[in-house]
Amino acid sequence: MVRRLRFNGTGSGDDGCPSVHEDVDSGEVVVHGPPLTDPGDVAQPQHLSEGEVPIVVPRALLVDWGPKDMTREAKIIDMAGFGRLFTQFEHTAWRLETRRRYASDEATDTYAQFIRGESVNWDETDSEWCANRREQTALGKRIERVRIVDNPPTAGQLYLLDNARRNSAVGERITSLWRAEADRFNLPSEDFWLFDSRMVALLKFDNADNLVGVELITEPAEVVRYSMARDAAMHHAVPYEEFAAGLAVKE
């Protein structure tokens, strides 16, 4: 289907280039201008995909004629797109886990073993999940989590505390934080991943604790807010081994 483009404006005077257009149906923005051609310049832009062409426009063009919406439209991705984030990130992937239970955990054989009081064998090095974590951390990337724990912990939280042995074996760094402390530091109540301190994947759960959607957030002010939560959580959380030892002493 042919797009319906609305001409917003130009910053170049009589020749009509560069200019800004807006798709009246999707809200997407079309910008055209002279392309970068020098190989040294073309090599510098990040996340430039095959078939994309970097162009140069005056800053004033975007300030004067770019969209001025005050609300952000949610960008929802599917599970396949969510999975690709764990191979595409460059430096860090960080997770805050805030929930008292996860339906996906309770569907596993290891959860059933744990609830029966049996010792769980976390040797799953051949799984796709483990292979990805090993591959990414072998490249020098960091994958870290802070898990919020109630007092007393729920069965699901105790399971994840034991499960942390598997996470750490494949290169993740797992730490834990009491919920009372998380509340005191005003940490978010929702689960999210933060990739490279530039993109948030906000995890959406239904009333039965099933993961049903992922919302991507790239708006800078929002990303900064989640990054601040990450910094506070990492400062106060303790390694899962230390946390588990403290629980054992209390019991």
Side-chain angles (χ1 to χ4, degrees):
M1 178 180 292
V2 176
R3 291 177 182 265
R4 297 191 300 151
L5 299 182
R6 179 182 62 224
F7 175 65
N8 282 9
T10 179
S12 60
D14 296 333
D15 60 5
C17 180
S19 301
V20 175
H21 293 75
E22 190 168 348
D23 188 315
V24 298
D25 298 309
S26 70
E28 293 175 304
V29 177
V30 177
V31 180
H32 64 79
L36 283 179
T37 56
D38 185 279
D41 294 336
V42 175
Q44 295 183 58
Q46 298 186 34
H47 310 291
L48 188 66
S49 300
E50 183 178 353
E52 294 181 339
V53 178
I55 63 172
V56 181
V57 299
R59 178 183 292 271
L61 176 75
L62 301 180
V63 173
D64 293 341
W65 301 112
K68 302 299 191 298
D69 295 342
M70 297 302 292
T71 57
R72 177 179 57 84
E73 182 177 350
K75 180 180 180 181
I76 306 300
I77 60 173
D78 58 21
M79 291 300 116
F82 178 50
R84 286 192 293 271
L85 296 179
F86 292 92
T87 59
Q88 295 172 345
F89 77 97
E90 297 182 5
H91 309 293
T92 58
W94 187 87
R95 167 85 180 266
L96 181 67
E97 296 182 8
T98 67
R99 301 183 69 81
R100 294 174 171 85
R101 63 183 289 264
Y102 296 90
S104 59
D105 288 341
E106 296 177 6
T108 63
D109 293 338
T110 52
Y111 187 87
Q113 285 181 292
F114 180 81
I115 293 300
R116 291 195 299 265
E118 301 173 6
S119 178
V120 179
N121 180 7
W122 294 110
D123 186 15
E124 301 178 13
T125 55
D126 293 332
S127 74
E128 182 179 350
W129 184 91
C130 289
N132 169 265
R133 294 320 195 256
R134 288 187 185 279
E135 180 180 351
Q136 299 306 313
T137 55
L139 293 172
K141 302 179 184 181
R142 297 202 318 273
I143 305 176
E144 303 171 320
R145 305 177 193 237
V146 170
R147 288 172 168 162
I148 305 303
V149 182
D150 288 272
N151 189 12
T154 66
Q157 291 166 350
L158 290 173
Y159 168 78
L160 287 176
L161 192 59
D162 194 61
N163 168 269
R165 292 187 287 127
R166 180 189 68 158
N167 296 77
S168 61
V170 296
E172 290 195 4
R173 179 173 183 258
I174 309 297
T175 55
S176 302
L177 182 67
W178 289 113
R179 188 174 300 278
E181 292 184 287
D183 292 342
R184 182 158 61 92
F185 303 127
N186 297 313
L187 296 186
S189 59
E190 64 265 28
D191 277 37
F192 66 91
W193 280 95
L194 176 64
F195 295 95
D196 295 329
S197 298
R198 68 175 184 84
M199 178 171 56
V200 175
L202 188 61
L203 307 186
K204 304 288 189 177
F205 293 84
D206 62 16
N207 291 334
D209 299 299
N210 295 292
L211 177 63
V212 295
V214 179
E215 177 185 351
L216 280 190
I217 300 174
T218 57
E219 197 278 317
E222 283 293 288
V223 172
V224 167
R225 183 174 74 85
Y226 285 102
S227 297
M228 292 171 63
R230 183 265 321 271
D231 290 348
M234 290 294 290
H235 181 75
H236 296 284
V238 299
Y240 81 91
E241 302 96 332
E242 179 181 338
F243 193 89
L247 275 180
V249 169
K250 289 179 64 174
E251 294 174 356

